Amino acid sequence: MTSEIILEARELTKNFGGITALSRVSFSVNRGEVLGIIGPNGSGKTTLINCLTGFVRMSSGEVFFKGKNISNKPAHRIADMGLTRTFQIMRPYFSLPAYKNLVIPLFAPRARRTGGWRGGGKLGDRKTVSIDILEEIGFERDSFVPYKIASTLPTGYLKRLELARCLALKPEIILCDEVFSGLSMSEIASMVPLMERLQMEGITLVMIEHRLRELFQVANRIMVMNFGVKLFEGTPQEVMANEQVKKAYFGSEEVEEVMHYA
Amino acid sequence: MSSTHRRKERIDRGIKVRTDGLYALMSWRELSYLTVPRLVLILGILALPIVMPGMYWQKVITIVCIYAMLAIGFDFLAHYVGLVSLGGAFFIGTGGYIAAILNSSYGLPPLLTIPIATILGAAICTLLLLPCLPLRGVYFAIVTLMYPLVLARIIEALDVLGGTDGIMGVDSFASSWVEQYLAVTMVLIFLFGLRRLVNTDIGLVFRAVKDNDQAVRASGMNISYYKAVAVFIASAMGCLAGACLVHIYMWAGISLFALDFSIIPIAATVIGGGGTIVGPVLGCLILVPISELLREFGTLRIVFYSLILVGFIVFRSEGIMVFGERKYHQFQRWVRV
Ligand SMILES: Nc1ncnc2c1ncn2[C@@H]1O[C@H](COP(=O)(O)OP(=O)(O)O)[C@@H](O)[C@H]1O
Ligand SMILES: [Mg+2]
């Protein structure tokens, strides 16, 4: 694995009024790796993604993407550079069919630059590309699913649609906010190979997850957060062995279970 | 209660399902299923000036068209971009004054004043509204309502642009037929143009901005830019309407900033059916003549007018066009539950 740093946060701090959601969090992500972020609810994981992608102004600190300072840049500019994110609370365009949900990101400047196809403004081209992306992400091409209105899709497909929206931009990195949560065991089992394939295609992944067993399968490194601070960082094995992490996070049965399998 | 044992089921008519696909047009019947309603609408609107009895009602039709251009813009902004605009008066006033100045001070003919007022007016309106594009819902509505009030007071207080007297002696159109057919044709162009636009890719982006602007930002698109483009489109239609109105009345004054221009388009959209673009035009066709008929009742007409509106909101809140489209495309039957 190359050690080029693609994304770096330095002393990232975020206060919401009196609440300190993030306190001097520093970390970096190498190109091509999968970084897992774990931590109890309310520990600031979503806020971290919001700050990195420009959706929330950070109180202090700096973010570098491919060496460029992107601190507090507008969200659309950051996404345009190839730093994309999914939303924990899924945000499809509910009134549109699944494939038309992708026509929108395919219309974006970045998709037009990187797509390698001529966006002539006709729905035809973008429709074909969006059905291709949907198939890649697990929508059966010959079924009705890609044509269904997003509001009628089950959670599993909506999570995939979130990822597809990022993929339409040909991203360099995707920050995934709990793409496994709300899914059944079998759905998660089918998502794991998908994430592995994305990594093989050269996309860097940052994954916030609560499903530790599946996360530890795909992640190269894990960062543990609690109360807005970075508690620990290391390989999945190191994380499970660490006493401090155990105290803060373990105790939950899920982790005990993970330790058995790892 | 019988309603606990049965419910209404709505099913798309077979012919709608078949004609939804592009390649499915197999028979004259299917072709006419798609084209007849459009033809009826186009021919009906084009025939309006001819079938109207007398000058007075022909004038009313022109005014209907002026309001229809505003209503189309309101529906587009509200239901496809998510901006609730009360800017009708603002657009009419801006477009109207520009056309009047160009005509009376620079001697340009209507052939030039109208296009210039449309583009320049839309640019001015969009620029002035630019700072409030990030505002949502009612805040945007309030700002769009403030501008016409403020502009009218400024013209009044500073006695610029003719002050309270307005700008008189603006050229009229060559004939009343030119006037009517210009208005009617522009409404049809805007109507079908926008119906088309909202289904293109950029139209989908507009709808996405309404559905979910955060996801649009996450896709690397500047939502303010797309909102500005949409506001430009709507204000261009409004400014064109204003420019036409000035040449019809041969006068521009602060009554161009009247509240009617902001309110009637909304009422027309409610009556006609929001989100259909056609509905607001139908709404204007109903509402504007009624408000003319009620003119002799003076201020009491507001009461009738409100009753009609309340009736629509209470009993058929979806609007005529939504209701009509559903009846046309679907049949319903009672099913036991
Ligand atoms: N927009 C906001 N306004 C105020 N407080 C917020 C906001 N967003 C998050 N918080 C607070 O920040 C803390 C971290 O939240 P979050 O980042 O969502 O945690 P996680 O994703 O790890 O569950 C919580 O205490 C939450 O209440
Ligand atoms: Mg979260």
Side-chain angles (χ1 to χ4, degrees):
Chain A
M1 184 168 300
T2 57
S3 58
E4 181 204 350
I5 290 177
I6 186 166
L7 179 67
E8 184 182 8
R10 289 185 198 155
E11 305 268 301
L12 214 159
T13 300
K14 176 68 197 175
N15 306 307
F16 287 112
I19 305 167
T20 303
L22 290 175
S23 177
R24 309 181 64 158
V25 175
S26 301
F27 73 100
S28 60
V29 189
N30 297 320
R31 188 182 281 279
E33 78 170 338
V34 178
L35 173 73
I37 301 182
I38 62 173
N41 276 325
S43 56
K45 306 182 297 295
T46 299
T47 306
L48 180 65
I49 286 196
N50 283 339
C51 288
L52 294 174
T53 50
F55 277 83
V56 156
R57 282 191 79 83
M58 47 198 175
S59 307
S60 66
E62 282 175 315
V63 182
F64 293 87
F65 177 58
K66 294 197 293 181
K68 283 207 198 73
N69 191 336
I70 57 161
S71 318
N72 289 330
K73 269 201 176 188
H76 67 269
R77 295 270 290 280
I78 293 177
D80 192 64
M81 295 171 77
L83 171 53
T84 60
R85 54 96 44 97
T86 71
F87 291 97
Q88 180 176 359
I89 300 158
M90 292 153 294
R91 291 187 167 167
Y93 309 111
F94 282 109
S95 63
L96 298 178
Y99 77 90
K100 282 194 182 173
N101 266 265
L102 288 192
V103 169
I104 291 143
L106 285 173
F107 192 80
R110 180 178 172 87
R112 284 194 255 187
R113 281 199 313 273
T114 59
W117 49 282
R118 293 300 304 152
K122 278 185 281 141
L123 188 63
D125 315 343
R126 295 200 171 89
K127 183 182 163 183
T128 318
V129 178
S130 61
I131 302 261
D132 288 346
I133 296 174
L134 284 177
E135 185 183 32
E136 195 185 320
I137 206 90
F139 282 61
E140 302 79 4
R141 175 184 284 271
D142 295 324
S143 70
F144 287 115
V145 190
Y147 302 94
K148 278 184 131 174
I149 304 289
S151 60
T152 65
L153 288 175
T155 314
Y157 282 110
L158 289 180
K159 294 277 184 190
R160 287 167 196 267
L161 197 54
E162 281 284 317
L163 276 174
R165 184 168 44 67
C166 297
L167 289 179
L169 294 184
K170 294 241 156 78
E172 301 201 28
I173 177 165
I174 307 179
L175 313 183
C176 307
D177 200 348
E178 304 198 11
V179 285
F180 290 169
S181 56
L183 300 189
S184 70
M185 295 299 264
S186 64
E187 279 174 323
I188 295 176
S190 71
M191 286 287 270
V192 169
L194 178 64
M195 306 311 282
E196 285 170 342
R197 206 175 69 230
L198 293 182
Q199 186 190 13
M200 298 233 284
E201 284 169 14
I203 298 173
T204 311
L205 294 171
V206 174
M207 295 178 63
I208 294 180
E209 285 307 335
H210 287 299
R211 300 290 316 174
L212 299 192
R213 195 198 318 170
E214 289 80 6
L215 179 65
F216 288 1
Q217 261 180 46
V218 271
N220 306 106
R221 262 181 330 129
I222 300 289
M223 173 166 120
V224 188
M225 294 185 59
N226 199 12
F227 297 116
V229 295
K230 177 166 128 181
L231 209 62
F232 186 78
E233 185 185 315
T235 63
Q237 289 75 19
E238 287 166 351
V239 166
M240 281 181 294
N242 185 280
E243 283 302 317
Q244 210 187 355
V245 175
K246 272 188 200 164
K247 249 189 248 149
Y249 196 77
F250 291 22
S252 80
E253 283 165 28
E254 193 187 347
V255 179
E256 306 269 335
E257 181 197 2
V258 173
M259 313 244 328
H260 280 294
Y261 283 94
Chain B
M1 280 284 286
S2 62
S3 62
T4 52
H5 300 297
R6 57 186 205 154
R7 65 179 171 83
K8 265 184 191 165
E9 183 183 57
R10 295 198 180 110
I11 301 164
D12 278 2
R13 293 183 199 278
I15 194 165
K16 165 160 196 328
V17 179
R18 287 200 300 281
T19 48
D20 267 352
L22 266 181
Y23 316 105
L25 299 178
M26 302 297 273
S27 69
W28 281 110
R29 203 173 106 77
E30 285 170 3
L31 196 64
S32 54
Y33 177 82
L34 284 181
T35 51
V36 164
R38 289 168 174 79
L39 276 178
V40 167
L41 182 80
I42 295 173
L43 295 178
I45 292 185
L46 283 176
L48 273 177
I50 302 172
V51 299
M52 280 301 127
M55 284 278 283
Y56 174 76
W57 284 103
Q58 288 181 338
K59 201 68 121 192
V60 171
I61 288 303
T62 317
I63 304 300
V64 166
C65 292
I66 299 291
Y67 278 108
M69 292 185 223
L70 293 174
I72 290 173
F74 171 82
D75 192 28
F76 168 63
L77 282 186
H79 292 100
Y80 291 94
V81 194
L83 292 170
V84 179
S85 151
L86 290 170
F90 181 36
F91 304 151
I92 288 279
T94 311
Y97 267 100
I98 292 175
I101 295 164
L102 289 175
N103 184 256
S104 65
S105 305
Y106 298 93
L108 298 185
L111 195 65
L112 286 177
T113 58
I114 293 178
I116 296 176
T118 304
I119 303 296
L120 187 62
I124 292 173
C125 292
T126 310
L127 269 179
L128 287 175
L129 288 173
L130 218 49
C132 25
L133 288 183
L135 301 179
R136 281 164 204 242
V138 72
Y139 297 104
F140 182 78
I142 290 171
V143 176
T144 54
L145 195 56
M146 292 305 294
Y147 273 121
L149 297 179
V150 169
L151 288 175
R153 292 297 91 78
I154 288 177
I155 290 173
E156 212 173 36
L158 301 183
D159 205 19
V160 288
L161 302 177
T164 41
D165 293 337
I167 301 172
M168 277 171 279
V170 179
D171 287 348
S172 69
F173 288 104
S175 82
S176 74
W177 293 110
V178 173
E179 174 184 309
Q180 290 166 56
Y181 274 98
L182 177 68
V184 162
T185 318
M186 290 323 288
V187 167
L188 285 175
I189 290 175
F190 291 153
L191 178 59
F192 285 97
L194 272 190
R195 288 273 290 197
R196 180 161 216 147
L197 177 78
V198 296
N199 285 313
T200 59
D201 288 0
I202 190 170
L204 283 180
V205 176
F206 287 142
R207 288 156 75 174
V209 168
K210 181 197 177 215
D211 257 18
N212 183 346
D213 53 353
Q214 298 301 304
V216 178
R217 292 173 75 202
S219 299
M221 282 182 279
N222 185 349
I223 48 176
S224 293
Y225 169 76
Y226 288 98
K227 284 182 181 176
V229 171
V231 167
F232 184 86
I233 292 171
S235 51
M237 293 191 290
C239 290
L240 186 137
C244 290
L245 197 62
V246 161
H247 286 292
I248 293 167
Y249 286 156
M250 304 195 296
W251 175 78
I254 49 176
S255 64
L256 288 179
F257 291 113
L259 215 51
D260 295 33
F261 295 117
S262 296
I263 304 299
I264 290 186
I266 301 179
T269 305
V270 170
I271 289 176
T276 59
I277 312 278
V278 188
V281 178
L282 295 183
C284 288
L285 270 170
I286 295 169
L287 212 54
V288 178
I290 287 179
S291 105
E292 283 301 321
L293 281 176
L294 296 176
R295 197 171 279 281
E296 53 195 283
F297 290 95
T299 42
L300 203 60
R301 71 193 168 118
I302 300 293
V303 177
F304 292 101
Y305 191 73
S306 316
L307 282 178
I308 294 171
L309 197 56
V310 169
F312 259 92
I313 292 172
V314 171
F315 295 112
R316 193 48 80 188
S317 59
E318 57 189 4
I320 295 169
M321 202 50 209
V322 181
F323 178 77
E325 274 185 347
R326 207 184 59 226
K327 287 284 173 215
Y328 191 66
H329 291 311
Q330 300 176 319
F331 56 87
Q332 58 187 24
R333 61 180 185 198
W334 292 99
V335 288
R336 288 188 174 281
V337 182

